[in-house]
Amino acid sequence: IWQEVKDLVWPHGGDFTVETSPGERRAGRQYDMTNALALDKFAAVLESLLTPRQQRFHFLRPSLKELENDHDAAIYFEELTNLLFKMRARPRAAFYDQMHESWKSHGAYGNACINIEPDKKHGGISYRNVHVGAVWIAVNDRGVVDTIFYKFKLSAHAAMEK
């Protein structure tokens, strides 16, 4: 079903049951742009409501109850929140671009995955939307996610950098 959704709604999304070659035409089953345009609008609305670029959409706070009213802790967590948003705003972090792709994935498939890891080469954090067809989730005996498997391909050059 996800492959059909991809073919009709988001032709440039990742493949599920077929593999297209680079440069191959992907919009072969799409008869008009209504679905794709609606998906872009859906993602834009979610982005503007949930992860707006020009404002803080969440704040960090201590998990220990005894630190909730501590002035020094409040200053620390405010500075930490500022640093987090500064790191996300860096072009190399690609947070907002990848979140837009994530919102499109939510609209098309009802699910999305974001890979967050340190950017060892340039410092900071790196965000990457991961195609839902490349991720498998394992749960423990209580139904809690305890393992995530992520399948991906790398060129020889990228593998050496990794």
Side-chain angles (χ1 to χ4, degrees):
I1 292 172
W2 279 355
Q3 182 65 42
E4 287 184 39
V5 169
K6 179 259 179 205
D7 291 343
L8 296 171
V9 178
W10 193 10
H12 300 290
D15 290 313
F16 291 92
T17 58
V18 298
E19 193 168 330
T20 55
S21 301
E24 185 176 338
R25 185 168 186 247
R26 294 174 175 255
R29 292 192 56 205
Q30 200 174 31
Y31 51 88
D32 72 4
M33 292 295 295
T34 303
N35 294 331
L37 293 172
L39 183 61
D40 265 334
K41 287 181 182 180
F42 174 85
V45 167
L46 287 184
E47 182 178 336
S48 68
L49 293 173
L50 301 174
T51 53
R53 294 173 190 243
Q54 303 304 322
Q55 67 187 44
R56 301 287 162 86
F57 46 87
H58 71 80
F59 299 93
L60 301 176
R61 65 178 191 176
S63 58
L64 298 174
K65 192 162 185 77
E66 57 266 16
L67 292 178
E68 286 181 358
N69 296 320
D70 185 291
H71 179 70
D72 291 336
I75 291 172
Y76 170 78
F77 280 98
E78 185 176 335
E79 288 176 5
L80 197 58
T81 300
N82 291 338
L83 178 62
L84 176 61
F85 277 89
K86 182 178 178 183
M87 298 297 261
R88 285 179 178 167
R90 293 174 59 239
R92 289 195 185 277
F95 175 79
Y96 295 101
D97 297 335
Q98 296 303 305
M99 283 306 299
H100 185 79
E101 292 297 301
S102 174
W103 295 132
K104 286 175 76 170
S105 181
H106 275 285
Y109 313 122
N111 199 353
C113 302
I114 295 281
N115 183 34
I116 306 167
E117 60 185 25
D119 184 349
K120 295 174 185 168
K121 188 173 183 180
H122 302 100
I125 305 169
S126 173
Y127 296 84
R128 184 162 187 247
N129 180 61
V130 177
H131 176 49
V132 294
V135 176
W136 294 266
I137 298 171
V139 296
N140 64 17
D141 59 332
R142 296 182 322 247
V144 176
V145 174
D146 65 358
T147 309
I148 298 174
F149 299 96
Y150 170 28
K151 176 184 161 188
F152 57 95
K153 294 179 182 179
L154 293 174
S155 67
H157 177 73
M160 290 296 293
E161 283 187 347
K162 201 83 157 137

